[in-house]
Amino acid sequence: MKDSRLLRHAGHLLAVVILCFLIKRLYSLLIGLDGETVVFQPFWLLTSLVFLLGYRTLLVYPWRTLYCSASQTHVSFRSVWTLFQLSQLGKYFPGKVGQFASILVLCRPLELSKTPAVVSTLQSVVLQCALGVCMGVPVFLSPSAIPLLHNGWAFFRRNAPILLGIAIVIIFGVCAVAMLLQKCPFFSKMPGLQEGIRILFSVLVTRRGLGLLCVHILLWFYFGIAFCFFIKSMVPSIQGSHLLMIITIYPLAWSLGVLSLVTPGGLGIREGILSVLLTLCLPPATATLAALLSRVWVMSAEILLASIAWGFYSKHKTPVPQ
């Protein structure tokens, strides 16, 4: 456990280093701007938040389908929504275990089964990551990426600290989780989890599984629209030809952030990838600023929904007087 703890601390340190580098680069870019400033548009920012809150709610439906399939039971949407929103904050704890630990703690008062909830979360993350990477790959085939590919070495030298930091964090994350699965009693004490992991992908070979794939693809596009509105709140004159690229950039950044494993919620990794890829359609300073503020944007929606869910959870947990 000492080795896995050391790897987690190293991953956190690298994530902080990447964030500090991004902030420093943003500061230097802003200093170098010739009279160009970023002006926020409240209407588009509010619209993006509304779409983001809708996305966080719609995402519960495929998770509920996976849970019902794993548990062979029917559950209320309110209980599942409450568990889903509250458990999302757990991913910001170290080691990627916080989200699963919060699920285990919250399941009993909500009358949900622990193992199906954990397995459903794993299935959902795998689906989102796989589809996010698939959606992001075409970004490098777009006309805007041609100069990047032709000047790959210069691009790498310009962004070397970010790219190397991301690669190191992902490698550390894989090693830490491998050790965690071998030594940590957290997973070994859960009855039926190994069987649940064994059938992790079984749902995908059914007609329902294909439907879930389509739903997740649509949800990623829906989130991409919300992210476009967020970008438009800073760059009102953004070109229409860049909208599809912006829609597909975030799923790729989110997926690679999840694969970092040891960083809480992909902290630093997601922002680093966004700051690099958004330069394909935005000025460098705006791209870096949007990457950093996107974390605040997402967390504000997560905290708001978790606060509402906590109110539902407290009422559900409080016994009704006889």
Side-chain angles (χ1 to χ4, degrees):
M1 292 303 295
K2 184 179 294 186
D3 294 335
S4 63
R5 195 178 298 116
L6 179 62
L7 286 173
R8 288 200 300 270
H9 290 327
H12 298 159
L13 178 61
L14 285 171
V16 172
V17 169
I18 293 174
L19 285 176
C20 291
F21 173 80
L22 289 174
I23 295 172
K24 180 182 177 182
R25 187 169 77 167
L26 174 62
Y27 178 77
S28 61
L29 289 171
L30 291 176
I31 292 296
L33 290 178
D34 296 328
E36 183 179 346
T37 58
V38 177
V39 180
F40 286 93
Q41 304 291 323
F43 172 78
W44 292 114
L45 182 59
L46 182 60
T47 302
S48 69
L49 281 172
V50 171
F51 271 70
L52 179 57
L53 293 173
Y55 167 80
R56 303 298 304 182
T57 297
L58 292 173
L59 196 59
V60 177
Y61 283 97
W63 190 94
R64 180 171 177 254
T65 302
L66 291 169
Y67 176 87
C68 292
S69 176
S71 63
Q72 299 297 315
T73 58
H74 181 78
V75 294
S76 68
F77 179 80
R78 177 173 169 175
S79 297
V80 172
W81 185 88
T82 301
L83 175 66
F84 184 87
Q85 304 302 339
L86 288 176
S87 64
Q88 290 301 301
L89 296 182
K91 65 188 177 185
Y92 292 105
F93 289 96
K96 296 294 183 183
V97 178
Q99 185 174 3
F100 298 107
S102 60
I103 289 175
L104 296 180
V105 173
L106 297 169
C107 271
R108 184 183 296 274
L110 295 173
E111 300 178 354
L112 298 173
S113 301
K114 297 178 180 179
T115 299
V118 172
V119 171
S120 301
T121 302
L122 288 171
Q123 290 176 323
S124 181
V125 171
V126 169
L127 280 172
Q128 287 180 274
C129 280
L131 294 174
V133 171
C134 292
M135 290 179 63
V137 168
V139 169
F140 299 99
L141 304 178
S142 64
S144 301
I146 293 177
L148 183 152
L149 298 176
H150 281 248
N151 303 289
W153 175 243
F155 176 82
F156 175 80
R157 284 188 302 171
R158 192 164 55 249
N159 299 280
I162 298 176
L163 298 176
L164 290 176
I166 290 171
I168 293 173
V169 170
I170 291 177
I171 293 173
F172 275 156
V174 172
C175 295
V177 170
M179 294 180 180
L180 189 66
L181 292 175
Q182 289 180 356
K183 300 180 181 181
C184 182
F186 174 79
F187 294 102
S188 60
K189 291 182 180 180
M190 291 183 60
L193 181 60
Q194 293 182 352
E195 178 66 17
I197 294 177
R198 189 181 66 82
I199 61 173
L200 183 63
F201 301 100
S202 62
V203 69
L204 297 181
V205 299
T206 64
R207 183 178 299 178
R208 178 182 294 179
L210 294 177
L212 285 173
L213 286 174
C214 294
V215 168
H216 275 288
I217 291 174
L218 291 175
L219 284 173
W220 266 135
F221 273 104
Y222 179 85
F223 182 91
I225 294 172
F227 189 60
C228 282
F229 288 148
F230 173 70
I231 297 296
K232 193 171 179 63
S233 69
M234 291 180 283
V235 189
S237 59
I238 188 171
Q239 298 181 16
S241 58
H242 290 152
L243 293 181
L244 184 59
M245 181 182 296
I246 293 175
I247 287 175
T248 55
I249 281 175
Y250 195 95
L252 177 61
W254 183 90
S255 301
L256 295 179
V258 170
L259 292 177
S260 66
L261 299 175
V262 295
T263 56
L267 186 65
I269 306 303
R270 185 190 307 171
E271 290 77 18
I273 296 171
L274 283 175
S275 70
V276 171
L277 295 182
L278 285 176
T279 55
L280 298 176
C281 47
L282 297 176
T286 307
T288 305
L289 180 63
L292 291 171
L293 291 182
S294 66
R295 175 68 64 172
V296 180
W297 177 63
V298 171
M299 288 189 66
S300 62
E302 290 176 339
I303 292 173
L304 175 60
L305 292 174
S307 301
I308 298 173
W310 179 254
F312 291 152
Y313 179 77
S314 300
K315 291 182 179 179
H316 197 287
K317 198 165 101 170
T318 304
V320 179
Q322 301 295 331

